[in-house]
Amino acid sequence: WGLEPLRQAIDQRLLLARDVARAKWNVKAAIEDLPREEQVIAAAVRQGRALGLPEAWIRSVFRAQIEASKTVQRELYRRWQAEDAGRFDDAPDLANTIRPELDRLTAQLLRSMAANQALLHDGGRKADVAVAMHGLQARAFNPAAADQALAPFLSPD
């Protein structure tokens, strides 16, 4: 169905939050990086505008994706602190491995938003959208983050 690439992009982005957390944990980085978040949103706005998407919607969607990712990262940091976890030897590199994958997912997410714009903005179809988006794998390990990531697509415009 048309929303499957959108659901997959949201899910994969959320699942990547674990790798982001491991990479940050290894270098003792803060979870929140507001300048980086603004760069990500600005880049998404530029790409999305080129696809004819409204800036406010792009900002809302990507702010939600970032907040959902931080929800996952905070939960993992709490767990690792409680376990007194050490360094992760297999954590991928944030700049060279994770960010290019996030960029790929951003492009997929934006293309899917553009392809499904009419459906996603049809107030009468919110139940259909909810059903299509429900099967996030990420819901299994963090239901709150999954709800955060999906909120801009399920709430009334």
Side-chain angles (χ1 to χ4, degrees):
W1 191 35
L3 291 178
E4 185 58 16
L6 179 65
R7 188 198 61 75
Q8 286 177 356
I10 291 168
D11 206 20
Q12 289 169 20
R13 195 177 196 294
L14 206 45
L15 291 169
L16 264 179
R18 288 190 269 196
D19 284 340
V20 171
R22 292 180 334 146
K24 288 180 178 179
W25 177 265
N26 278 357
V27 296
K28 308 210 178 335
I31 289 170
E32 193 158 79
D33 181 352
L34 295 177
R36 175 71 191 155
E37 292 172 24
E38 287 311 311
Q39 287 176 344
V40 168
I41 291 171
V45 166
R46 280 192 304 277
Q47 289 177 56
R49 268 204 209 117
L51 297 170
L53 296 171
E55 180 175 338
W57 189 37
I58 300 166
R59 286 185 179 284
S60 159
V61 166
F62 281 87
R63 173 66 50 214
Q65 304 316 300
I66 290 168
E67 292 304 319
S69 178
K70 290 192 295 190
T71 294
V72 170
Q73 292 173 55
R74 284 186 192 106
E75 181 181 301
L76 291 170
Y77 264 45
R78 279 192 294 274
R79 184 182 319 154
W80 297 335
Q81 284 162 344
E83 296 168 353
D84 203 20
R87 211 175 132 58
F88 295 100
D89 293 331
D90 61 344
D93 182 79
L94 191 59
N96 297 315
T97 305
I98 298 170
R99 285 189 179 145
E101 181 64 9
L102 288 171
D103 291 344
R104 186 190 68 75
L105 292 170
T106 293
Q108 180 181 330
L109 212 155
L110 288 165
R111 283 192 308 272
S112 299
M113 287 168 63
N116 294 286
Q117 195 167 184
L119 168 64
L120 292 168
H121 283 93
D122 181 344
R125 303 283 308 272
K126 292 294 178 191
D128 296 337
V129 172
V131 167
M133 302 299 272
H134 185 72
L136 291 184
Q137 292 173 26
R139 185 174 299 286
F141 75 87
N142 198 313
D147 289 344
Q148 277 178 297
L150 293 176
F153 300 104
L154 304 179
S155 58
D157 290 334

Coordinates of all heavy atoms in Angstrom, one line a residue, residues 42-73:
A42 N 16.3 21.8 9.2 CA 16.5 22.8 8.1 C 16.7 22.0 6.8 O 16.2 22.4 5.7 CB 17.6 23.7 8.4
A43 N 17.5 21.0 6.8 CA 17.8 20.2 5.6 C 16.5 19.5 5.2 O 16.2 19.5 3.9 CB 18.9 19.2 5.9
A44 N 15.7 19.0 6.1 CA 14.4 18.3 5.7 C 13.5 19.4 5.1 O 12.8 19.1 4.1 CB 13.8 17.7 6.9
V45 N 13.5 20.6 5.6 CA 12.6 21.6 5.1 C 13.0 21.9 3.7 O 12.2 22.0 2.8 CB 12.6 22.9 6.0 CG1 12.0 24.1 5.3 CG2 11.9 22.6 7.3
R46 N 14.3 22.1 3.4 CA 14.8 22.4 2.1 C 14.4 21.3 1.1 O 13.9 21.6 0.0 CB 16.3 22.5 2.1 CG 16.8 23.9 2.5 CD 18.3 24.1 2.2 NE 19.2 23.1 2.8 CZ 19.6 23.1 4.0 NH1 19.3 24.0 4.9 NH2 20.4 22.1 4.4
Q47 N 14.6 20.0 1.5 CA 14.3 18.9 0.6 C 12.8 18.8 0.4 O 12.3 18.5 -0.7 CB 14.8 17.6 1.2 CG 16.3 17.4 1.2 CD 16.6 16.1 1.9 OE1 16.2 15.0 1.5 NE2 17.5 16.2 2.9
G48 N 12.0 19.0 1.5 CA 10.6 18.9 1.4 C 9.9 19.9 0.6 O 8.9 19.7 -0.1
R49 N 10.4 21.2 0.7 CA 9.9 22.3 -0.1 C 10.0 22.0 -1.6 O 9.1 22.2 -2.4 CB 10.7 23.6 0.2 CG 10.0 24.4 1.3 CD 10.5 25.8 1.1 NE 10.5 26.5 2.4 CZ 11.6 27.0 2.9 NH1 12.8 26.9 2.4 NH2 11.5 27.6 4.1
A50 N 11.1 21.3 -2.0 CA 11.4 21.0 -3.4 C 10.3 19.9 -3.8 O 10.1 19.8 -5.0 CB 12.8 20.4 -3.6
L51 N 9.7 19.2 -2.9 CA 8.7 18.2 -3.2 C 7.3 18.8 -3.0 O 6.3 18.1 -3.2 CB 8.9 17.0 -2.3 CG 10.2 16.2 -2.4 CD1 10.3 15.2 -1.3 CD2 10.3 15.5 -3.8
G52 N 7.2 20.1 -2.7 CA 5.9 20.7 -2.6 C 5.3 20.5 -1.2 O 4.0 20.7 -1.1
L53 N 6.0 20.2 -0.2 CA 5.5 20.0 1.1 C 5.5 21.3 1.9 O 6.4 22.1 1.8 CB 6.3 18.9 1.9 CG 6.3 17.5 1.3 CD1 7.3 16.6 2.0 CD2 4.9 16.9 1.3
P54 N 4.4 21.5 2.7 CA 4.4 22.7 3.6 C 5.4 22.7 4.7 O 5.6 21.6 5.3 CB 3.0 22.7 4.2 CG 2.2 21.6 3.5 CD 3.2 20.7 2.9
E55 N 6.1 23.8 4.9 CA 7.2 23.9 5.8 C 6.8 23.5 7.2 O 7.4 22.7 8.0 CB 7.8 25.3 5.8 CG 9.0 25.4 6.8 CD 9.7 26.7 6.8 OE1 9.6 27.4 5.8 OE2 10.3 27.0 7.8
A56 N 5.6 24.0 7.7 CA 5.1 23.7 9.0 C 4.9 22.2 9.3 O 5.3 21.7 10.3 CB 3.9 24.5 9.3
W57 N 4.4 21.5 8.3 CA 4.2 20.1 8.4 C 5.6 19.3 8.4 O 5.7 18.4 9.3 CB 3.4 19.6 7.2 CG 2.9 18.2 7.3 CD1 2.5 17.5 8.4 CD2 2.8 17.2 6.2 NE1 2.1 16.2 8.1 CE2 2.3 16.0 6.8 CE3 3.1 17.3 4.8 CZ2 2.1 14.9 6.0 CZ3 2.8 16.1 4.1 CH2 2.3 15.0 4.6
I58 N 6.5 19.7 7.6 CA 7.8 19.1 7.6 C 8.5 19.3 9.0 O 9.0 18.3 9.6 CB 8.8 19.7 6.6 CG1 8.2 19.5 5.2 CG2 10.2 19.1 6.7 CD1 8.9 20.4 4.1
R59 N 8.4 20.5 9.5 CA 9.0 20.8 10.9 C 8.3 19.9 11.9 O 9.0 19.3 12.8 CB 8.8 22.3 11.2 CG 9.8 23.2 10.5 CD 9.7 24.6 10.9 NE 10.6 25.4 10.2 CZ 12.0 25.4 10.4 NH1 12.4 24.7 11.4 NH2 12.8 26.1 9.7
S60 N 7.0 19.8 11.9 CA 6.2 19.0 12.9 C 6.6 17.6 12.8 O 6.9 16.9 13.8 CB 4.7 19.2 12.6 OG 4.0 18.2 13.1
V61 N 6.7 17.0 11.6 CA 7.1 15.6 11.4 C 8.5 15.3 11.9 O 8.7 14.4 12.7 CB 6.9 15.2 9.9 CG1 7.6 13.8 9.7 CG2 5.4 15.1 9.6
F62 N 9.4 16.2 11.5 CA 10.8 15.9 11.9 C 11.1 16.2 13.4 O 11.9 15.5 14.0 CB 11.8 16.5 10.9 CG 11.9 15.7 9.7 CD1 11.0 15.9 8.6 CD2 12.8 14.6 9.6 CE1 11.0 15.0 7.5 CE2 12.8 13.8 8.5 CZ 12.0 14.0 7.4
R63 N 10.5 17.2 13.9 CA 10.6 17.4 15.4 C 10.1 16.2 16.1 O 10.7 15.7 17.0 CB 9.8 18.7 15.7 CG 9.7 19.0 17.2 CD 10.9 19.3 17.9 NE 11.7 20.4 17.3 CZ 13.0 20.4 17.3 NH1 13.7 19.5 17.9 NH2 13.6 21.4 16.7
A64 N 9.0 15.6 15.6 CA 8.4 14.4 16.3 C 9.4 13.2 16.2 O 9.6 12.5 17.1 CB 7.1 14.0 15.7
Q65 N 10.0 13.1 15.0 CA 11.0 12.0 14.8 C 12.2 12.1 15.8 O 12.6 11.2 16.4 CB 11.5 11.9 13.4 CG 10.4 11.8 12.3 CD 9.3 10.8 12.6 OE1 9.6 9.6 12.8 NE2 8.1 11.3 12.7
I66 N 12.7 13.3 15.9 CA 13.8 13.6 16.7 C 13.4 13.4 18.2 O 14.2 12.8 19.0 CB 14.3 15.1 16.5 CG1 15.0 15.1 15.1 CG2 15.3 15.5 17.6 CD1 15.3 16.5 14.6
E67 N 12.3 13.9 18.6 CA 11.9 13.7 20.0 C 11.7 12.2 20.3 O 12.0 11.7 21.4 CB 10.6 14.5 20.3 CG 10.8 16.0 20.3 CD 11.9 16.5 21.3 OE1 12.0 16.0 22.4 OE2 12.6 17.4 20.9
A68 N 11.1 11.5 19.4 CA 10.9 10.0 19.6 C 12.3 9.3 19.7 O 12.5 8.5 20.6 CB 10.2 9.4 18.4
S69 N 13.2 9.7 18.9 CA 14.6 9.2 19.0 C 15.2 9.5 20.4 O 15.8 8.6 21.0 CB 15.5 9.7 17.9 OG 16.8 9.2 18.0
K70 N 15.0 10.7 20.8 CA 15.6 11.0 22.1 C 14.9 10.3 23.3 O 15.5 9.9 24.3 CB 15.5 12.6 22.4 CG 16.4 13.3 21.5 CD 16.6 14.8 21.8 CE 15.3 15.6 21.7 NZ 15.5 17.0 21.8
T71 N 13.6 9.9 23.1 CA 12.9 9.1 24.1 C 13.6 7.8 24.2 O 13.8 7.3 25.3 CB 11.4 9.0 23.7 OG1 10.8 10.3 23.8 CG2 10.7 8.0 24.6
V72 N 13.9 7.2 23.1 CA 14.5 5.9 23.0 C 15.9 6.0 23.7 O 16.3 5.2 24.5 CB 14.7 5.3 21.6 CG1 15.6 4.1 21.5 CG2 13.3 5.0 21.0
Q73 N 16.7 7.0 23.3 CA 18.0 7.2 23.8 C 18.0 7.4 25.3 O 18.9 6.8 26.0 CB 18.7 8.4 23.1 CG 19.0 8.1 21.6 CD 19.5 9.4 20.9 OE1 20.5 10.0 21.3 NE2 18.8 9.8 19.9

